[in-house]
Amino acid sequence: PLIGVLTTSLLPHTHDGFVHLARIGAYFKALEDGQIPVRWAGDLNYGYGLPLFNFIYQVPYFISSIFIFLGLGLVNAFKVTLVLSFLLSGIFMFGFSLSFFKDLKKALLVTLFYQFMPFRFIEILVRGSFGEVYTYAFFPLVLWGITLLFQKINYKNILITSLGAALLVLSHNALSLVFFAIAILFILFFTNKPKNYIAPFMSLFLGLLLASFYWVPAIFEHHYT
């Protein structure tokens, strides 16, 4: 459904596209200047700079910076990053559904509904919501990891859940809070053994720790803005 985005050299007409192009450029330049993690967007705010990336999501800008490093321009990096979010969301939702239902047909049906819900295309093709589209990719990854932990507790499944949770937090501020709450409810509703709570909750907490370089400064420095 997104092939039309890639068959033209033009930027899709979205609400936020132009804003994100400027931010992608600022993020990539900050990486070139050695900022790790990126916090300061030096060329924005009419050249005065501002601590934009201290408070705004990082994942989509980091991914788009990789594509710029590989030789794509701002427009193509923006488009490929959007399309990649759609592909990842389908892969992770299928993996979660297959692990949860243990039925190939049900997993395919759930994934089709998830991928082709009209709101998803509004987010990508109308709003151009750079961060929110990645929460729809990493939320099913978190649920997939939790489901795997229900079945078997090992380092691999803990790592999947923790990385998914960290990437979710780094994808969008507000939506990650909503999806974190849903993930907690998912744990409480779909396991009837209290001992099965430990590994999923520990993995979510580890995910928060992995993303703490982003959300801890944002909380403590918010009063400066």
Side-chain angles (χ1 to χ4, degrees), residues 63-102:
I63 293 174
S64 58
S65 294
I66 294 174
F67 289 122
I68 292 177
F69 178 77
L70 294 175
L72 298 182
L74 286 174
V75 172
N76 286 327
F78 173 72
K79 294 193 294 184
V80 172
T81 304
L82 282 180
V83 172
L84 180 63
S85 74
F86 185 77
L87 297 176
L88 289 177
S89 67
I91 293 169
F92 294 147
M93 178 53 77
F94 182 77
F96 159 61
S97 302
L98 191 60
S99 297
F100 185 77
F101 293 108
K102 299 187 186 328

Short mmCIF file of all heavy atoms in Angstrom, two decimals, residues 63-102:
data_model
loop_
_atom_site.label_atom_id
_atom_site.label_comp_id
_atom_site.label_asym_id
_atom_site.label_seq_id
_atom_site.Cartn_x
_atom_site.Cartn_y
_atom_site.Cartn_z
N ILE A 63 17.12 6.30 12.87
CA ILE A 63 17.00 5.42 11.71
C ILE A 63 17.18 6.20 10.41
O ILE A 63 17.89 5.77 9.50
CB ILE A 63 15.65 4.68 11.74
CG1 ILE A 63 15.60 3.71 12.92
CG2 ILE A 63 15.41 3.93 10.42
CD1 ILE A 63 14.26 3.05 13.12
N SER A 64 16.54 7.36 10.32
CA SER A 64 16.67 8.17 9.11
C SER A 64 18.10 8.66 8.93
O SER A 64 18.59 8.79 7.79
CB SER A 64 15.70 9.35 9.14
OG SER A 64 15.92 10.15 10.28
N SER A 65 18.81 8.90 10.02
CA SER A 65 20.21 9.31 9.93
C SER A 65 21.09 8.21 9.34
O SER A 65 22.06 8.48 8.62
CB SER A 65 20.75 9.72 11.31
OG SER A 65 20.09 10.87 11.79
N ILE A 66 20.74 6.96 9.65
CA ILE A 66 21.48 5.83 9.05
C ILE A 66 21.32 5.85 7.54
O ILE A 66 22.30 5.66 6.79
CB ILE A 66 20.97 4.50 9.63
CG1 ILE A 66 21.32 4.40 11.12
CG2 ILE A 66 21.56 3.32 8.86
CD1 ILE A 66 20.74 3.18 11.80
N PHE A 67 20.09 6.11 7.06
CA PHE A 67 19.86 6.14 5.62
C PHE A 67 20.56 7.33 4.96
O PHE A 67 21.04 7.22 3.82
CB PHE A 67 18.36 6.18 5.33
CG PHE A 67 17.66 4.88 5.64
CD1 PHE A 67 16.61 4.84 6.54
CD2 PHE A 67 18.06 3.71 5.04
CE1 PHE A 67 15.97 3.65 6.84
CE2 PHE A 67 17.43 2.50 5.32
CZ PHE A 67 16.38 2.48 6.23
N ILE A 68 20.65 8.45 5.66
CA ILE A 68 21.40 9.59 5.12
C ILE A 68 22.88 9.24 5.02
O ILE A 68 23.55 9.55 4.04
CB ILE A 68 21.19 10.84 5.99
CG1 ILE A 68 19.75 11.33 5.88
CG2 ILE A 68 22.14 11.96 5.56
CD1 ILE A 68 19.42 12.51 6.76
N PHE A 69 23.38 8.58 6.05
CA PHE A 69 24.78 8.14 6.05
C PHE A 69 25.05 7.20 4.87
O PHE A 69 26.14 7.20 4.30
CB PHE A 69 25.10 7.45 7.37
CG PHE A 69 26.50 6.91 7.45
CD1 PHE A 69 27.57 7.76 7.69
CD2 PHE A 69 26.75 5.56 7.29
CE1 PHE A 69 28.87 7.27 7.76
CE2 PHE A 69 28.04 5.06 7.35
CZ PHE A 69 29.10 5.92 7.59
N LEU A 70 24.03 6.40 4.50
CA LEU A 70 24.18 5.46 3.38
C LEU A 70 24.03 6.12 2.02
O LEU A 70 24.17 5.47 0.99
CB LEU A 70 23.16 4.32 3.52
CG LEU A 70 23.36 3.39 4.72
CD1 LEU A 70 22.22 2.39 4.82
CD2 LEU A 70 24.70 2.67 4.63
N GLY A 71 23.71 7.43 2.02
CA GLY A 71 23.68 8.16 0.76
C GLY A 71 22.34 8.69 0.32
O GLY A 71 22.24 9.35 -0.71
N LEU A 72 21.28 8.42 1.08
CA LEU A 72 19.97 8.96 0.72
C LEU A 72 19.87 10.42 1.16
O LEU A 72 20.49 10.83 2.14
CB LEU A 72 18.85 8.15 1.38
CG LEU A 72 18.74 6.67 0.99
CD1 LEU A 72 17.55 6.04 1.69
CD2 LEU A 72 18.62 6.50 -0.51
N GLY A 73 19.06 11.19 0.45
CA GLY A 73 18.81 12.57 0.85
C GLY A 73 17.76 12.64 1.94
O GLY A 73 17.20 11.62 2.37
N LEU A 74 17.44 13.85 2.37
CA LEU A 74 16.46 14.04 3.45
C LEU A 74 15.10 13.46 3.08
O LEU A 74 14.47 12.76 3.88
CB LEU A 74 16.32 15.53 3.77
CG LEU A 74 17.45 16.19 4.55
CD1 LEU A 74 17.20 17.69 4.65
CD2 LEU A 74 17.59 15.57 5.92
N VAL A 75 14.64 13.75 1.87
CA VAL A 75 13.30 13.30 1.45
C VAL A 75 13.23 11.79 1.40
O VAL A 75 12.31 11.16 1.95
CB VAL A 75 12.92 13.92 0.09
CG1 VAL A 75 11.63 13.29 -0.44
CG2 VAL A 75 12.76 15.43 0.21
N ASN A 76 14.20 11.16 0.74
CA ASN A 76 14.18 9.71 0.62
C ASN A 76 14.40 9.02 1.97
O ASN A 76 13.81 7.97 2.24
CB ASN A 76 15.24 9.24 -0.37
CG ASN A 76 14.84 9.53 -1.80
OD1 ASN A 76 13.67 9.50 -2.15
ND2 ASN A 76 15.83 9.83 -2.64
N ALA A 77 15.22 9.59 2.82
CA ALA A 77 15.41 9.02 4.16
C ALA A 77 14.11 9.06 4.95
O ALA A 77 13.76 8.10 5.65
CB ALA A 77 16.51 9.78 4.90
N PHE A 78 13.38 10.17 4.82
CA PHE A 78 12.09 10.31 5.50
C PHE A 78 11.11 9.25 5.00
O PHE A 78 10.45 8.56 5.79
CB PHE A 78 11.54 11.72 5.26
CG PHE A 78 10.15 11.94 5.77
CD1 PHE A 78 9.89 12.04 7.13
CD2 PHE A 78 9.09 12.06 4.89
CE1 PHE A 78 8.61 12.25 7.60
CE2 PHE A 78 7.80 12.27 5.34
CZ PHE A 78 7.55 12.37 6.71
N LYS A 79 11.04 9.08 3.70
CA LYS A 79 10.08 8.14 3.11
C LYS A 79 10.43 6.69 3.46
O LYS A 79 9.55 5.90 3.83
CB LYS A 79 10.01 8.33 1.60
CG LYS A 79 9.43 9.67 1.17
CD LYS A 79 9.07 9.69 -0.31
CE LYS A 79 10.28 9.58 -1.19
NZ LYS A 79 9.92 9.70 -2.63
N VAL A 80 11.69 6.33 3.33
CA VAL A 80 12.10 4.96 3.61
C VAL A 80 11.89 4.63 5.09
O VAL A 80 11.49 3.53 5.45
CB VAL A 80 13.57 4.73 3.19
CG1 VAL A 80 14.05 3.36 3.66
CG2 VAL A 80 13.71 4.85 1.68
N THR A 81 12.15 5.60 5.95
CA THR A 81 11.94 5.39 7.38
C THR A 81 10.47 5.16 7.70
O THR A 81 10.12 4.30 8.53
CB THR A 81 12.48 6.58 8.19
OG1 THR A 81 13.86 6.80 7.86
CG2 THR A 81 12.36 6.34 9.67
N LEU A 82 9.58 5.89 7.05
CA LEU A 82 8.14 5.67 7.23
C LEU A 82 7.74 4.28 6.76
O LEU A 82 7.02 3.56 7.46
CB LEU A 82 7.34 6.72 6.45
CG LEU A 82 7.21 8.12 7.04
CD1 LEU A 82 6.39 9.00 6.10
CD2 LEU A 82 6.54 8.09 8.41
N VAL A 83 8.19 3.90 5.58
CA VAL A 83 7.83 2.59 5.02
C VAL A 83 8.39 1.47 5.89
O VAL A 83 7.71 0.45 6.13
CB VAL A 83 8.34 2.46 3.57
CG1 VAL A 83 8.14 1.04 3.04
CG2 VAL A 83 7.63 3.46 2.67
N LEU A 84 9.60 1.64 6.40
CA LEU A 84 10.21 0.62 7.25
C LEU A 84 9.37 0.39 8.51
O LEU A 84 9.22 -0.75 8.96
CB LEU A 84 11.62 1.04 7.64
CG LEU A 84 12.39 0.07 8.54
CD1 LEU A 84 12.61 -1.27 7.84
CD2 LEU A 84 13.73 0.68 8.96
N SER A 85 8.80 1.46 9.06
CA SER A 85 7.96 1.30 10.26
C SER A 85 6.76 0.41 9.97
O SER A 85 6.36 -0.41 10.80
CB SER A 85 7.49 2.67 10.75
OG SER A 85 6.48 3.21 9.91
N PHE A 86 6.20 0.55 8.77
CA PHE A 86 5.04 -0.26 8.38
C PHE A 86 5.43 -1.73 8.24
O PHE A 86 4.72 -2.63 8.70
CB PHE A 86 4.46 0.27 7.08
CG PHE A 86 3.20 -0.41 6.64
CD1 PHE A 86 1.98 -0.13 7.26
CD2 PHE A 86 3.21 -1.34 5.62
CE1 PHE A 86 0.81 -0.76 6.86
CE2 PHE A 86 2.06 -1.98 5.21
CZ PHE A 86 0.84 -1.69 5.84
N LEU A 87 6.58 -1.98 7.62
CA LEU A 87 7.05 -3.36 7.45
C LEU A 87 7.36 -4.01 8.79
O LEU A 87 6.99 -5.17 9.05
CB LEU A 87 8.29 -3.38 6.56
CG LEU A 87 8.11 -2.89 5.12
CD1 LEU A 87 9.46 -2.87 4.40
CD2 LEU A 87 7.12 -3.77 4.37
N LEU A 88 8.03 -3.28 9.67
CA LEU A 88 8.37 -3.83 10.99
C LEU A 88 7.12 -4.12 11.81
O LEU A 88 7.06 -5.15 12.51
CB LEU A 88 9.28 -2.86 11.74
CG LEU A 88 10.71 -2.72 11.22
CD1 LEU A 88 11.46 -1.67 12.03
CD2 LEU A 88 11.45 -4.05 11.29
N SER A 89 6.14 -3.25 11.74
CA SER A 89 4.91 -3.47 12.51
C SER A 89 4.21 -4.75 12.07
O SER A 89 3.68 -5.49 12.89
CB SER A 89 3.97 -2.27 12.39
OG SER A 89 3.48 -2.13 11.07
N GLY A 90 4.23 -5.04 10.77
CA GLY A 90 3.62 -6.27 10.27
C GLY A 90 4.38 -7.50 10.73
O GLY A 90 3.78 -8.50 11.15
N ILE A 91 5.71 -7.45 10.66
CA ILE A 91 6.53 -8.59 11.08
C ILE A 91 6.33 -8.88 12.56
O ILE A 91 6.10 -10.04 12.97
CB ILE A 91 8.01 -8.31 10.78
CG1 ILE A 91 8.25 -8.25 9.28
CG2 ILE A 91 8.92 -9.38 11.43
CD1 ILE A 91 9.62 -7.73 8.89
N PHE A 92 6.39 -7.84 13.39
CA PHE A 92 6.29 -8.04 14.84
C PHE A 92 4.88 -8.44 15.26
O PHE A 92 4.71 -9.25 16.18
CB PHE A 92 6.74 -6.79 15.58
CG PHE A 92 8.20 -6.46 15.40
CD1 PHE A 92 8.64 -5.14 15.39
CD2 PHE A 92 9.14 -7.47 15.23
CE1 PHE A 92 9.98 -4.84 15.22
CE2 PHE A 92 10.48 -7.19 15.06
CZ PHE A 92 10.91 -5.87 15.05
N MET A 93 3.86 -7.88 14.61
CA MET A 93 2.49 -8.28 14.95
C MET A 93 2.24 -9.73 14.56
O MET A 93 1.56 -10.46 15.28
CB MET A 93 1.48 -7.35 14.27
CG MET A 93 0.01 -7.72 14.54
SD MET A 93 -0.40 -7.90 16.30
CE MET A 93 -0.50 -6.18 16.80
N PHE A 94 2.78 -10.15 13.41
CA PHE A 94 2.61 -11.54 13.01
C PHE A 94 3.32 -12.47 13.99
O PHE A 94 2.78 -13.52 14.38
CB PHE A 94 3.15 -11.76 11.59
CG PHE A 94 2.95 -13.15 11.08
CD1 PHE A 94 1.71 -13.58 10.64
CD2 PHE A 94 4.01 -14.04 11.06
CE1 PHE A 94 1.53 -14.88 10.18
CE2 PHE A 94 3.84 -15.34 10.60
CZ PHE A 94 2.60 -15.76 10.15
N GLY A 95 4.52 -12.11 14.41
CA GLY A 95 5.24 -12.93 15.37
C GLY A 95 4.50 -13.03 16.70
O GLY A 95 4.39 -14.12 17.28
N PHE A 96 3.98 -11.91 17.18
CA PHE A 96 3.21 -11.92 18.43
C PHE A 96 1.95 -12.76 18.29
O PHE A 96 1.65 -13.60 19.15
CB PHE A 96 2.85 -10.48 18.83
CG PHE A 96 1.69 -10.40 19.78
CD1 PHE A 96 1.74 -11.00 21.03
CD2 PHE A 96 0.53 -9.73 19.41
CE1 PHE A 96 0.66 -10.92 21.90
CE2 PHE A 96 -0.55 -9.66 20.26
CZ PHE A 96 -0.49 -10.25 21.51
N SER A 97 1.20 -12.54 17.22
CA SER A 97 -0.07 -13.25 17.03
C SER A 97 0.15 -14.76 16.91
O SER A 97 -0.63 -15.56 17.45
CB SER A 97 -0.79 -12.72 15.79
OG SER A 97 -1.03 -11.34 15.89
N LEU A 98 1.20 -15.14 16.20
CA LEU A 98 1.49 -16.56 16.03
C LEU A 98 1.87 -17.21 17.37
O LEU A 98 1.45 -18.33 17.67
CB LEU A 98 2.61 -16.76 15.01
CG LEU A 98 2.84 -18.18 14.51
CD1 LEU A 98 1.60 -18.76 13.84
CD2 LEU A 98 4.02 -18.21 13.54
N SER A 99 2.64 -16.49 18.18
CA SER A 99 3.03 -17.02 19.49
C SER A 99 1.84 -17.07 20.44
O SER A 99 1.73 -17.98 21.26
CB SER A 99 4.14 -16.15 20.10
OG SER A 99 5.30 -16.19 19.32
N PHE A 100 0.95 -16.10 20.32
CA PHE A 100 -0.17 -15.99 21.25
C PHE A 100 -1.29 -16.99 20.89
O PHE A 100 -1.79 -17.70 21.76
CB PHE A 100 -0.72 -14.56 21.24
CG PHE A 100 -1.80 -14.32 22.25
CD1 PHE A 100 -1.49 -14.15 23.59
CD2 PHE A 100 -3.13 -14.26 21.88
CE1 PHE A 100 -2.48 -13.92 24.54
CE2 PHE A 100 -4.13 -14.04 22.81
CZ PHE A 100 -3.80 -13.87 24.14
N PHE A 101 -1.69 -17.02 19.61
CA PHE A 101 -2.81 -17.88 19.20
C PHE A 101 -2.36 -19.29 18.79
O PHE A 101 -3.18 -20.21 18.77
CB PHE A 101 -3.55 -17.23 18.02
CG PHE A 101 -4.26 -15.97 18.37
CD1 PHE A 101 -3.78 -14.74 17.92
CD2 PHE A 101 -5.40 -15.97 19.14
CE1 PHE A 101 -4.43 -13.56 18.23
CE2 PHE A 101 -6.06 -14.80 19.47
CZ PHE A 101 -5.57 -13.59 19.01
N LYS A 102 -1.07 -19.41 18.42
CA LYS A 102 -0.54 -20.69 17.93
C LYS A 102 -1.36 -21.22 16.75
O LYS A 102 -1.62 -22.43 16.64
CB LYS A 102 -0.49 -21.73 19.06
CG LYS A 102 0.40 -21.34 20.23
CD LYS A 102 0.51 -22.47 21.21
CE LYS A 102 1.27 -22.10 22.46
NZ LYS A 102 2.32 -21.15 22.36
#
